[in-house]
Amino acid sequence: MSLEKRFSVEYLAEAQDDLDKLDGSVRVIVLKAIDKVSKNPLPENECGYGKALEDTAGTVPFLSYRQWDTAETVLFVS
């Protein structure tokens, strides 16, 4: 039995709409990416899966994760 910790996932209404519009096969890939990131939603420099998105002031708290086999990118807050 795995006791792997997962973080909760909440979708903005706009994100849920975008997810609902995806083709079924792409939706599966995106949901697997979201599941993977929910296990370790930290920046890469902290051994996580996210790549930091920064503005000129360096204050944006968002990270991104991109699957290599699709053009879809998952944005999340750590």
Side-chain angles (χ1 to χ4, degrees):
M1 183 168 102
S2 175
L3 297 177
E4 195 171 78
K5 181 178 180 178
R6 290 198 188 320
F7 291 77
S8 65
V9 176
E10 297 177 20
Y11 297 96
L12 296 173
E14 296 88 352
Q16 186 64 56
D17 289 343
D18 290 345
L19 189 59
D20 293 341
K21 291 176 187 174
L22 291 175
D23 174 67
S25 61
V26 175
R27 185 180 309 117
V28 169
I29 292 169
V30 170
L31 290 173
K32 284 183 180 181
I34 291 169
D35 181 61
K36 180 178 179 179
V37 169
S38 74
K39 297 173 191 171
N40 192 1
L42 298 172
E44 290 174 334
N45 64 346
E46 295 179 34
C47 299
Y49 295 113
K51 181 176 180 180
L53 300 178
E54 297 181 17
D55 60 1
T56 55
T59 58
V60 175
F62 294 102
L63 300 168
S64 70
Y65 174 76
R66 184 171 185 170
Q67 282 288 118
W68 290 108
D69 53 352
T70 180
E72 306 301 327
T73 300
V74 175
L75 297 179
F76 59 98
V77 177
S78 176

